[in-house]
């Protein structure tokens, strides 16, 4: 079965990508993911806060050295401005890109424009095949307008695009007042791919200890409905590649995303639950599904259930919403099939 595909202009052996996670935080982890058969690996993110903290530490050390005996500068790291964490990250990227036979995508995680984006160029020099820009921002300041939040995304994208010649994908959240317009603006601003969607940390309250708890939870298949809806709406309306992420547990979940119009499907939760080798199970299941449905290649599947071009997307979503409520109230059942 031919599972080959293209994403961000890269030729991939299949559409299953290992999303950024603790599994891609070590060279052995990256090798295990590649050996399991994934089409590409997104490296664990390099964080804006990490880079800013290291830059501040280096600046303090440089100031201290300048105020002491001249020979004391020999105590300072030889690479001023590059913290140990950043150097380790780049060494991992360089070794991984050299030692595995699939593209390794660098990931930068941040929320504000600034000098930290220059590390995208360092990732390019280290051998990254592309950059995934994870813009994680929950705007809790009531004085920041929605347009300011959107512009910040565009500014960060522009800064990274000015820094590298690599393709750049933007991983964004679903919490925009007009998600489709934001996707189009990012597309027009030069995003080579859109990754839908980021999952925000959602703190909880422990009523027994009367305290706030923060825990990163793995996604479940029910969460895939939101990104799948937007992928189906955006397919054919943006030039950028579309990557799905969230809610992948079995091969059927991968197939659903492809039917909606995803170019590739990223997963972290399933691989964390079952181990890197589970990628092979997902790919075998996808091949079996394609064969059962008499498909011979991914292009026959991709976007088969996307919203047809020219349809009033808003009216369609409204009609499906009303129809779903009607089914719930009457007990009727129905499905939406592929458009002719």
């Amino acid at each position: 079965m031919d599972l080959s595909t293209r994403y961000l202009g890269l030729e991939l052996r299949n559409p299953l990508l290992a999303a950024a996670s603790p599994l891609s935080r070590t060279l052995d982890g990256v090798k295990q993911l590649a050996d399991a058969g994934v089409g590409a690996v997104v490296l664990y993110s390099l964080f804006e806060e990490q880079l800013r903290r290291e830059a501040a530490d280096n600046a303090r050390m440089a100031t201290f050295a300048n105020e002491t005996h001249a020979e004391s500068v020999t105590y300072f790291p030889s690479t001023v401005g590059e913290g140990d964490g950043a150097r380790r990250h780049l060494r991992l990227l360089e070794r991984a890109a050299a030692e595995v036979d699939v593209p390794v995508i660098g990931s930068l995680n941040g929320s504000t424009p600034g000098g930290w984006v220059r590390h995208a160029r360092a990732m390019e020099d280290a051998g990254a095949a592309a950059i995934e820009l994870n813009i994680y921002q929950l705007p809790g300041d009531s004085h920041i307008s929605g347009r300011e939040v959107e512009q910040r995304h565009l500014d960060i994208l522009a800064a990274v695009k000015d820094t590298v010649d690599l393709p750049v994908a933007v991983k964004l959240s679903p919490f925009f007042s007009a998600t489709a317009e934001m996707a189009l603006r990012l597309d027009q601003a030069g995003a080579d791919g859109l990754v839908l969607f980021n999952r925000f940390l959602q703190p909880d309250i422990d009523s027994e200890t009367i305290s706030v708890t923060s825990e990163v939870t793995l996604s479940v298949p029910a969460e895939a409905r939101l990104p799948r809806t937007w992928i189906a709406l955006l397919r054919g309306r943006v030039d950028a590649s579309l990557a799905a992420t969230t809610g992948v547990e079995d091969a059927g979940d991968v197939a659903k995303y492809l039917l909606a119009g995803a170019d590739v499907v990223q997963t972290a939760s399933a691989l964390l639950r079952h181990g890197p080798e589970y990628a092979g199970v997902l790919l075998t299941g996808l091949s079996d599904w394609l064969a059962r449905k008499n498909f011979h290649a991914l292009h026959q599947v991709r976007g088969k259930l996307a919203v047809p071009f020219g349809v009033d997307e808003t009216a369609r979503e409204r009609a499906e919403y009303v129809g779903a409520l009607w089914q719930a109230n009457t007990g009727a059942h129905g499905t939406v099939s592929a458009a002719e």
Side-chain angles (χ1 to χ4, degrees):
M1 182 64 64
D2 181 13
L3 295 181
S4 61
T5 191
R6 285 176 61 86
Y7 173 58
L8 305 177
L10 305 172
E11 298 289 343
L12 305 182
R13 61 190 180 187
N14 63 64
L16 184 66
L17 273 61
S21 81
L23 292 174
S24 58
R25 200 169 189 170
T26 66
L27 181 60
D28 284 344
V30 175
K31 286 181 176 180
Q32 289 176 29
L33 292 166
D35 291 344
V38 298
V41 176
V42 183
L43 213 62
Y44 191 80
S45 295
L46 191 56
F47 289 82
E48 171 187 350
E49 290 79 4
Q50 174 187 2
L51 296 169
R52 291 187 184 278
R53 183 170 59 250
E54 291 177 350
D57 289 344
N58 285 341
R60 282 194 296 270
M61 292 177 68
T63 301
F64 172 77
N66 288 335
E67 293 174 350
T68 59
H69 192 276
E71 292 182 357
S72 67
V73 295
T74 59
Y75 302 139
F76 193 69
S78 57
T79 355
V80 176
E82 288 282 355
D84 287 342
R87 285 201 300 273
R88 284 195 301 270
H89 190 95
L90 293 172
R91 283 198 298 269
L92 169 61
L93 173 55
E94 186 173 25
R95 292 186 63 188
E99 296 188 30
V100 299
D101 59 353
V102 297
V104 177
I105 298 173
S107 175
L108 271 176
N109 187 310
S111 63
T112 62
W116 63 276
V117 300
R118 76 181 188 278
H119 288 271
R121 180 54 184 270
M123 289 181 170
E124 180 176 26
D125 293 340
I131 300 293
E132 182 174 286
L133 189 55
N134 187 339
I135 303 177
Y136 185 106
Q137 181 190 23
L138 186 62
D141 187 341
S142 60
H143 296 94
I144 297 177
S145 70
R147 222 46 176 175
E148 287 178 278
V149 173
E150 294 169 356
Q151 189 59 49
R152 185 173 294 181
H153 282 66
L154 296 168
D155 291 343
I156 294 173
L157 171 63
V160 174
K161 290 289 290 185
D162 286 344
T163 302
V164 300
D165 295 322
L166 296 176
V168 178
V170 178
K171 188 173 186 177
L172 65 161
S173 88
F175 302 120
F176 293 99
S177 59
T179 300
E181 192 227 11
M182 189 64 212
L184 183 61
R185 292 177 71 194
L186 288 166
D187 183 49
Q188 293 172 342
D192 299 283
L194 300 175
V195 185
L196 312 177
F197 285 115
N198 204 348
R199 296 173 72 234
F200 282 134
L201 175 68
Q202 298 179 21
D204 202 355
I205 291 177
D206 187 322
S207 60
E208 292 302 319
T209 62
I210 313 181
S211 62
V212 176
T213 61
S214 297
E215 182 181 0
V216 177
T217 58
L218 300 180
S219 67
V220 295
E223 295 179 71
R225 294 186 178 188
L226 182 62
R228 200 154 52 228
T229 296
W230 280 110
I231 287 170
L233 287 166
L234 292 174
R235 181 72 189 179
R237 293 167 176 80
V238 294
D239 293 327
S241 297
L242 296 174
T245 185
T246 298
V248 173
E249 178 60 22
D250 59 32
D253 298 318
V254 179
K256 289 178 184 179
Y257 269 130
L258 295 173
L259 287 166
D263 292 291
V264 295
V265 179
Q266 296 189 13
T267 181
S269 293
L271 301 180
L272 287 167
R273 283 193 187 98
H274 306 292
E277 64 278 3
Y278 190 66
V281 176
L282 293 174
L283 290 167
T284 299
L286 178 61
S287 293
D288 292 345
W289 177 83
L290 289 166
R292 279 193 293 109
K293 299 301 180 182
N294 296 316
F295 294 118
H296 305 291
L298 291 183
H299 68 82
Q300 297 175 296
V301 175
R302 186 174 289 112
K304 192 173 181 64
L305 295 182
V307 176
F309 192 75
V311 168
D312 185 331
E313 298 94 336
T314 302
R316 178 188 173 102
E317 285 300 303
R318 176 70 184 176
E320 290 184 356
Y321 162 72
V322 173
L325 291 181
W326 180 81
Q327 291 173 21
N329 289 329
T330 63
H333 299 282
T335 58
V336 178
S337 59
E340 295 295 326

